[in-house]
Amino acid sequence: MSAHIGVTGLAVMGANLARNLARNGFTVALHNRSVGKTDTLLEKHGHEGDFVRTESLEELVNSLEKPRRVLIMVKAGKPVDSVIEQLEPLLEAGDIIIDAGNSHYEDTRRREAALAKKDLHFVGVGVSGGEEGALNGPSIMPGGSKESYEALGPLLEKISAKVDGEPCCAWVGTDGAGHFVKMVHNGIEYADMQVIGEAFDLLRSGAGIEPAEQSKIFTEWNKGELSSFLIEISAEVLGHVDAKTGKPFVDVVVDAAGQKGTGRWTVISALELGSPVSGIAESVFARALSSQADQRKLGQELLAGEEAAVEIPETFVEDVRQALYASKLVSYAQGLDMLTSAAKEYNWDLKLDEIASLWRAGCIIRAELLKDITKAYAADEKPANLLFAPAFTKAIADALPAWRRVVATAVQLGIPVPVFSSSLAYYDGLRRKRVAAALIQGQRDLFGAHTYGRVDAEGTFHTLWGEDKSEIEAVDTH
Ligand code: 6PG
């Protein structure tokens, strides 16, 4: 019997994807560097579908129907290159290697180009939803050639999450586009998690609301416009009591947030693209600052900051909810805008409505909101920024007074809200007629003759600062 697809790398994500494929009727050939993992999977879950046990990559490749589909689920970086190197001589023109891990999109672009020269397809696939999603239906963001999607798409669509029967899986664009979109998903994920964290801190440290009570508030919030997986699990975490101490679980967890790197990659790439993902960047930096344990210890001793009592507005909880919603919208707006910049840079035809629709279910940032975002980008007239879509322009205008109150109160209380406040600054930066950049242009021209434009004339100008301060037309040197 020929298998429809092979999976190599059977740690939990690989194993769960393999099981998902088998449960959906595909015959799955299994391979792992140490055969023990393959056997464990077969012992525990062999009854879930048709599996083919293999002990070597050669055996795996030989067990597959053509064009062969081999899905790699190993640690991003060198291990991916190493598996590709071993697979390549075993494959034939038209075969497809699929990397479903969190690889960096530049690696995917490099691998795709190298394998295309050998007539092999290399497909970087973004998969979101954690272990549970991999097993029961993740959100899937495949890149690679359109041609390869014809052979691969039906399998991936079948195992993906569904919204009203529609799969949360679609080809997003060539070469590294799938991994790029997944990376930006993770950037938004970081920002989303941080704004929820800021809301928690404000309600706790500002309004003195205990975690158990907050769990109920979050559960309520989850019924409205904030409805999302991350709000839902936050309610669960906040309601959890530590068995050992009887304290709220969040009080016994060290407040230093880890990161594997995908959020950081988003920001590095955004800096290169010149894309202002300030909220996403702040969320990465907030994790970094939280993890500077030694400096934080010293900071507690050395730095002033306890402020006089601040009156908490009666509307505080609702204000925080609205600020959270507005900041969350900005995170999505920034992430989607970054996709627009990347599409130009990398020549990808990224369809924002389709991408938003892939995120409606299965993935970590799944949210009710994504249904409206999908609609906004499916409209004939695409908004240049998510915040310009009429429904969102209004939603954010409605939330604005509460958002400003929350940020002002947080500042007075000395509670850091980097994503609430930077998102508001982004909003105001987009909205205001004049911003501080005019003075910066003047400074740049004075110390470096970098030139400037005038509001009342075409062209590029320079002031002779060291001479008589007269203005000349200049060649733009940035
Ligand atoms: C997902 C997640 C998943 C993982 C990331 C983030 O979409 O399923 O984003 O990929 O949680 O690796 O992890 P860090 O917070 O450790 O960077």
Side-chain angles (χ1 to χ4, degrees):
M1 180 174 55
S2 297
H4 295 107
I5 188 164
V7 178
T8 179
L10 299 175
V12 65
M13 285 297 285
N16 283 2
L17 280 178
R19 289 171 60 199
N20 188 352
L21 283 157
R23 286 172 171 194
N24 276 288
F26 299 110
T27 303
V28 185
L30 300 173
H31 172 263
N32 194 68
R33 210 165 43 160
S34 64
V35 78
K37 275 215 170 91
T38 314
D39 288 332
T40 309
L41 195 161
L42 286 170
E43 268 162 42
K44 284 197 188 151
H45 308 289
H47 61 277
E48 291 177 0
D50 294 327
F51 294 104
V52 178
R53 177 185 183 278
T54 74
E55 292 193 4
S56 66
L57 282 175
E58 195 167 12
E59 217 187 312
L60 179 85
V61 166
N62 289 336
S63 72
L64 300 174
E65 67 174 26
K66 294 179 188 175
R68 300 181 181 88
R69 309 172 190 93
V70 185
L71 187 146
I72 308 178
M73 200 45 152
V74 298
K75 213 165 171 287
K78 287 220 171 74
V80 177
D81 285 312
S82 154
V83 176
I84 293 172
E85 226 168 83
Q86 296 168 61
L87 274 174
E88 198 198 296
L90 306 172
L91 296 172
E92 286 170 24
D95 287 348
I96 307 167
I97 301 179
I98 305 127
D99 173 14
N102 268 337
S103 289
H104 193 282
Y105 71 98
E106 288 288 15
D107 284 338
T108 305
R109 284 162 58 78
R110 167 178 60 78
R111 289 165 185 149
E112 200 269 343
L115 289 168
K117 283 195 194 125
K118 296 173 179 161
D119 289 325
L120 294 174
H121 295 288
F122 181 75
V123 183
V125 178
V127 178
S128 176
E131 296 171 14
E132 203 271 338
L135 183 62
N136 296 318
S139 162
I140 307 182
M141 296 148 255
S145 68
K146 186 104 208 223
E147 192 192 335
S148 65
Y149 192 73
E150 278 160 32
L152 183 62
L155 282 81
L156 298 182
E157 289 180 15
K158 191 101 190 267
I159 65 163
S160 73
K162 311 280 180 314
V163 176
D164 304 329
E166 273 177 47
C168 289
C169 171
W171 180 71
V172 293
T174 51
D175 57 74
H179 276 142
F180 191 92
V181 170
K182 172 68 198 329
M183 178 187 79
V184 172
H185 163 284
N186 279 29
I188 297 173
E189 172 185 308
Y190 274 48
D192 215 346
M193 293 168 77
Q194 175 67 24
V195 282
I196 294 172
E198 291 173 14
F200 155 69
D201 199 7
L202 280 169
L203 294 184
R204 184 78 184 280
S205 316
I209 303 173
E210 291 300 311
E213 185 55 29
Q214 284 202 41
S215 172
K216 291 183 197 146
I217 293 172
F218 275 62
T219 303
E220 263 326 290
W221 286 357
N222 199 37
K223 293 177 188 157
E225 61 190 1
L226 277 177
S227 170
S228 61
F229 172 70
L230 285 170
I231 291 283
E232 180 193 324
I233 62 163
S234 301
E236 185 176 341
V237 174
L238 287 166
H240 184 56
V241 174
D242 175 49
K244 214 161 147 194
T245 58
K247 290 184 183 163
F249 169 78
V250 282
D251 285 351
V252 299
V253 174
V254 176
D255 57 349
Q259 52 180 310
K260 285 201 219 80
T262 46
R264 188 184 319 141
W265 288 351
T266 311
V267 179
I268 293 171
S269 162
L271 290 172
E272 280 164 1
L273 290 165
S275 180
V277 296
S278 47
I280 295 173
E282 287 293 354
S283 66
V284 176
F285 294 143
R287 288 195 190 190
L289 180 58
S290 77
S291 299
Q292 290 197 322
D294 293 344
Q295 287 198 41
R296 282 183 58 201
K297 209 160 159 225
L298 280 171
Q300 281 169 50
E301 286 166 27
L302 301 174
L303 303 179
E306 287 304 323
E307 298 302 329
V310 176
E311 202 175 320
I312 304 293
E314 266 189 20
T315 53
F316 197 59
V317 174
E318 174 56 15
D319 281 0
V320 170
R321 188 193 69 77
Q322 292 190 26
L324 175 47
Y325 181 69
S327 306
K328 185 181 164 85
L329 264 182
V330 168
S331 306
Y332 281 86
Q334 293 182 348
L336 291 165
D337 188 46
M338 178 173 169
L339 290 180
T340 306
S341 304
K344 278 190 209 128
E345 175 72 19
Y346 297 110
N347 221 356
W348 292 326
D349 183 18
L350 299 180
K351 300 208 166 45
L352 297 188
D353 55 338
E354 239 171 57
I355 290 168
S357 82
L358 300 185
W359 294 343
R360 286 173 305 168
C363 64
I364 303 296
I365 64 169
R366 62 185 183 259
E368 271 304 299
L369 179 63
L370 278 156
K371 294 187 181 155
D372 294 332
I373 297 180
T374 303
K375 270 193 220 140
Y377 283 105
D380 289 340
E381 213 165 304
K382 317 263 176 247
N385 183 302
L386 178 66
L387 304 182
F388 304 157
F392 294 122
T393 308
K394 171 155 187 345
I396 216 154
D398 291 346
L400 191 57
W403 197 11
R404 292 203 192 287
R405 272 197 299 275
V406 167
V407 171
T409 307
V411 170
Q412 284 180 312
L413 286 165
I415 299 172
V417 285
V419 179
F420 275 13
S421 58
S422 71
S423 303
L424 183 53
Y426 174 87
Y427 179 81
D428 283 327
L430 259 184
R431 181 190 65 78
R432 281 172 61 93
K433 190 156 175 220
R434 298 280 293 161
V435 295
L439 178 57
I440 294 169
Q441 285 298 81
Q443 293 162 341
R444 292 177 68 241
D445 190 56
L446 188 149
F447 67 66
H450 292 300
T451 76
Y452 52 89
R454 291 188 59 98
V455 294
D456 54 1
E458 288 293 309
T460 312
F461 301 91
H462 169 56
T463 291
L464 300 169
W465 296 99
E467 298 171 32
D468 62 354
K469 292 197 171 55
S470 61
E471 185 176 77
I472 55 168
E473 263 211 73
V475 183
D476 185 1
T477 56
H478 308 292

